């Protein structure tokens, strides 16, 4: 169990080192992340997966969410996707995952969607890429998610939470649980972050401080 925590900047540096120096392709990391998040969810007895909605941004956090959508779909769960932001501006890996979701014809819904018919929402809006206060459609979706009857499972960092300080950047997802990638981000472990992170799962996807799990 990796109990250490890292800053958002270090998290992005470790991603970059793993991909560009060690050579594990980013899509491989995204598939591993998606599989771990899916497993966290199906093993979390507090989550009712009868009807799941993925709230996806257009970066790689959203890409993780699309992998989860496909894994839920291929295992017979009811799952839909709400993408926030312009898909034309999506990251390379996000586009690759959106193409796969299109193959499976996973249902797409839009900004006017009502959330109360869903039992679980997956927060894949943004993670380590959060760079400013949340506004516009993202704030609308976050507030609607928090107001719904559904439980929320967040990917990497609850969207809107500053991963370094634990502060809310305008508004933030209040998750029942969070699957964080590689290591918890320092801000997530602060007392004031607890209402936003909920129960934290730490997912080992092959990204390490040193060059191996042991040598952290
Ligand atoms: N890099 C990897 O190989 C892996 C990354 N993982 C996951 O990817 C995210 C980080 O992805 P990234 O694309 O860098 O950023 P985000 O998806 O967090 O953000 C997307 C995008 O959102 C924009 N943005 C930032 N702040 C705001 C805001 N306040 N309002 C609106 N839009 C905003 C900005 O343009 C960002 O680029 C990481 O968290 C992991 O979930 C994989 O899990 C592992 C491999
Ligand atoms: K998130």
């Amino acid at each position: 169990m990796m109990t250490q925590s890292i800053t958002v900047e270090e998290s992005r540096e470790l991603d970059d080192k793993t991909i560009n120096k060690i050579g594990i392709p980013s899509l491989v990391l995204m598939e591993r992340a998606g599989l771990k998040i899916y497993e966290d969810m199906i093993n979390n007895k507090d989550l009712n997966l009868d009807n799941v909605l993925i709230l996806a941004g257009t970066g790689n956090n959203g890409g993780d969410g699309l992998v989860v959508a496909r894994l839920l779909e291929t295992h017979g769960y009811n799952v839909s996707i709400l993408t926030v932001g312009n898909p034309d501006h999506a990251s390379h890996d996000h586009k690759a995952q959106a193409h796969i979701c299109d193959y499976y014809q996973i249902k797409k819904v839009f900004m006017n969607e009502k959330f109360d018919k869903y039992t679980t929402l997956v927060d894949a809006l943004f993670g380590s890429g959060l760079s400013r206060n949340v506004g516009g459609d993202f704030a609308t979706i976050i507030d609607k998610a928090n107001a719904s009857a559904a439980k929320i499972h967040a990917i990497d960092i609850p969207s809107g939470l500053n991963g370094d300080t634990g502060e809310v950047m305008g508004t933030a997802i209040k998750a029942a649980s969070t699957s964080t990638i590689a290591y918890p981000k320092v801000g997530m472990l602060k007392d004031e972050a607890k209402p936003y992170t909920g129960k934290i799962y730490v997912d080992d996807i092959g990204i390490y401080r040193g060059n191996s799990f042991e040598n952290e």
Side-chain angles (χ1 to χ4, degrees):
M1 168 67 179
M2 289 183 269
T3 53
Q4 297 181 43
S5 61
I6 56 174
T7 64
V8 171
E9 182 53 36
E10 189 178 0
S11 165
R12 298 181 68 79
E13 286 166 0
L14 290 180
D15 277 355
D16 184 62
K17 170 193 161 192
T18 306
I19 297 160
N20 298 313
K21 206 163 175 190
I22 298 177
I24 302 177
S26 62
L27 269 174
V28 169
L29 291 172
M30 185 170 279
E31 288 294 330
R32 292 187 67 169
L35 187 56
K36 289 279 185 161
I37 297 158
Y38 166 75
E39 288 170 348
D40 293 340
M41 290 178 65
I42 61 172
N43 293 323
N44 182 343
K45 297 294 164 259
D46 295 336
L47 290 181
N48 175 342
L49 301 182
D50 286 350
N51 197 7
V52 182
L53 176 62
I54 311 289
L55 305 174
T58 55
N60 290 344
N61 193 250
D64 289 352
L66 297 184
V67 177
V68 173
R70 182 237 304 173
L71 293 172
L72 287 167
E73 175 75 20
T74 53
H75 290 82
Y77 291 90
N78 288 323
V79 58
S80 305
I81 299 167
L82 196 169
T83 300
V84 187
N86 183 345
D88 296 339
H89 299 159
S91 69
H92 172 271
D93 290 358
H94 183 286
K95 284 179 176 171
Q97 297 300 346
H99 177 72
I100 295 167
C101 287
D102 288 347
Y103 172 83
Y104 284 100
Q105 297 180 335
I106 299 176
K107 187 165 179 267
K108 294 177 184 174
V109 298
F110 303 95
M111 287 298 290
N112 60 347
E113 182 71 358
K114 301 245 181 302
F115 288 3
D116 282 340
K117 64 182 176 184
Y118 296 100
T119 53
T120 293
L121 305 174
V122 175
D123 161 31
L125 293 170
F126 21 71
S128 64
L130 179 68
S131 59
R132 57 191 185 278
N133 264 18
V134 180
D137 284 350
F138 289 94
T140 302
I141 290 297
I142 289 173
D143 292 341
K144 198 154 99 172
N146 288 339
S148 80
K151 281 202 174 174
I152 306 173
H153 186 78
I155 294 178
D156 201 19
I157 307 171
S159 296
L161 192 77
N162 184 310
D164 290 335
T165 65
E167 290 164 349
V168 172
M169 306 273 283
T171 187
I173 285 284
K174 291 181 179 154
S177 44
T178 298
S179 290
T180 199
I181 307 305
Y183 301 90
K185 286 39 174 201
V186 286
M188 292 169 61
L189 300 182
K190 300 194 174 184
D191 289 345
E192 57 267 35
K194 189 77 182 146
Y196 298 93
T197 63
K199 177 181 179 184
I200 296 174
Y201 295 83
V202 182
D203 291 348
D204 173 6
I205 66 166
I207 296 175
Y208 306 121
R209 260 208 171 106
N211 288 327
S212 68
F213 181 82
E214 290 70 27
N215 165 24
E216 291 182 17

